[in-house]
């Protein structure tokens, strides 16, 4: 049986055109992650939470495609991505280490309408990020600040060490956003022992009867574990939206 959400995404993806994207700005985010802003003439715009497909083509014609979430709300022809280098990866080491301003790649999108926050929703929101899963959630945080939406946002951000936290200063400067960083490898600045996100951490989010929506993004195992904990805690499955980035930590 086909999953209707996956099926719609695949159909929509086939209809999208590849566009030429030129890197116009590069910012280091952590020692192993960077933000790249692309200028993409003809870009149709996107909602916070959506992603794009990126295609790299070698001089011999070999090409590789990967998905990347958009890190910022729609802004004319600009598309901002934040990429984590996966040590033995094919595509991410090029985007994080080799790409320079002026380089061109191909990009298509936006993709995914379910894992999105459009700026008009008023229910409280819980964002739960694992590692680079913060990227589409940051787009939502930035979109909320831009439209001055009074929806209350809380962010639970699970990450190995302080050095791996993305967007730290910006996250802490957003009014009306409650940020809790949960370290998995070494406790830092908190009494919480280092460890994976658990039911007690999620209890700092919204109670099941608050009418909130929860967005969970990160490695597949992280997303599945958080979803199970939310369901066990009495949250309505319809209130939980998920995006899986890949097999392991990111
Ligand atoms: C919808 C969606 C949105 C995504 N958004 C982002 C984003 O905003 N930022 C970002 O950095 N990544 C994102 N990813 C992950 C991205 O698509 C790639 O999987 C990742 O960059 C690794 O690609 P690679 O070619 O370097 O590694 P590959 O050559 O594909 O894989 C090399 C090795 O790394 C493992 N691996 C693959 N993916 C991951 C991963 N994510 N984490 C850890 N190990 C992995 C593989 O199993 C393999 O062993 C997203 C994925 C999806 C599906």
């Amino acid at each position: 049986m086909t999953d209707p959400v996956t099926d719609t995404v695949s159909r929509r993806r086939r209809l999208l055109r590849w566009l030429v994207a030129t890197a116009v700005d590069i910012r280091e985010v952590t020692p192993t992650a960077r933000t790249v802003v692309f200028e993409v003439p003809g870009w149709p715009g996107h909602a916070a939470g959506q992603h794009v497909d990126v295609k790299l083509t070698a001089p011999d014609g070999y090409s590789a495609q990967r998905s990347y979430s958009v890190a910022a709300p729609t802004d004319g022809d600009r598309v901002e991505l934040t990429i984590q280098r996966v040590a033995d990866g094919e595509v991410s080491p090029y985007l994080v280490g080799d790409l320079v301003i002026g380089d061109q790649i191909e990009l298509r999108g936006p993709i995914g309408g379910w894992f999105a926050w459009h700026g008009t929703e008023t229910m409280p929101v819980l964002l739960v990020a694992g590692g680079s899963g913060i990227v589409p959630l940051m787009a939502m945080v930035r979109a909320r600040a831009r439209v001055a939406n009074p929806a209350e946002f809380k962010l639970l951000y699970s990450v190995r060490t302080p050095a791996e936290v993305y967007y730290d200063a910006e996250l802490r400067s957003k009014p009306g956003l409650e940020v809790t960083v949960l370290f998995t490898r070494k406790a830092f600045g908190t009494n919480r022992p280092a460890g994976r996100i658990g039911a007690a951490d999620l209890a700092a989010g919204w109670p099941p009867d608050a009418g909130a929506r929860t967005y969970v993004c990160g490695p597949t195992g992280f997303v599945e574990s958080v979803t199970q904990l939310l369901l066990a805690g009495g949250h309505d499955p319809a209130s939980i939206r998920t995006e899986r980035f890949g097999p392991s930590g990111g």
Side-chain angles (χ1 to χ4, degrees):
M1 204 173 81
T2 53
D3 169 358
V5 174
T6 312
D7 198 38
T8 306
V9 168
S10 323
R11 254 186 289 122
R12 178 154 162 59
R13 192 178 241 132
R14 282 196 296 272
L15 296 174
L16 293 167
R17 275 188 311 130
W18 286 104
L19 299 170
V20 174
T22 306
V24 292
D25 190 22
I26 295 177
R27 301 192 296 272
E28 304 307 319
V29 175
T30 71
T32 56
R34 59 158 45 164
T35 289
V36 183
V37 182
F38 292 97
E39 189 81 46
V40 191
W43 181 247
H46 58 270
Q50 290 190 292
H51 64 275
V52 299
D53 285 341
V54 159
K55 180 158 74 172
L56 304 182
T57 305
D60 66 2
Y62 172 76
S63 77
Q65 286 176 34
R66 298 289 183 275
S67 300
Y68 292 98
S69 298
V70 186
T74 202
D75 177 19
D77 284 347
R78 294 203 157 201
V79 176
E80 179 170 329
L81 310 180
T82 301
I83 305 112
Q84 174 67 43
R85 178 160 54 77
V86 172
D88 57 346
E90 194 174 26
V91 170
S92 61
Y94 170 79
L95 294 173
V96 177
D98 300 329
L99 183 99
V100 295
I101 288 178
D103 280 353
Q104 294 188 319
I105 61 165
E106 286 177 280
L107 185 151
R108 70 178 175 188
I111 300 165
W114 175 247
F115 194 82
W117 188 81
H118 297 276
T120 48
E121 302 92 327
T122 51
M123 79 281 281
V125 169
L126 174 64
L127 307 171
V128 189
S132 55
I134 187 68
V135 177
L137 307 183
M138 189 62 188
M140 296 179 193
V141 166
R142 289 169 165 163
R144 171 180 173 273
R146 183 190 283 183
V147 296
N149 184 317
E152 291 179 86
F153 270 39
K154 292 184 183 182
L155 168 66
L156 298 177
Y157 182 9
S158 169
V159 64
R160 288 177 190 150
T161 64
E164 290 167 77
V165 175
Y166 291 10
Y167 322 122
D168 192 30
E170 186 181 348
L171 277 172
R172 292 182 191 283
S173 71
K174 288 278 185 266
L177 171 69
E178 188 183 301
V179 180
T180 307
V181 182
L182 309 164
F183 295 107
T184 60
R185 294 278 168 91
K186 193 167 186 289
F188 184 84
T190 160
N191 292 330
R192 177 187 181 273
R196 293 187 171 195
I197 192 166
D201 300 311
L202 289 166
W206 303 103
D209 60 0
R213 182 182 292 168
T214 303
Y215 295 89
V216 188
C217 185
T220 300
F222 174 86
V223 171
E224 285 171 2
S225 146
V226 169
T227 304
Q228 288 311 315
L229 289 167
L230 288 166
L231 294 175
H235 290 267
D236 179 356
S239 71
I240 305 168
R241 301 193 177 193
T242 60
E243 184 87 286
R244 293 164 172 78
F245 269 13
S248 57

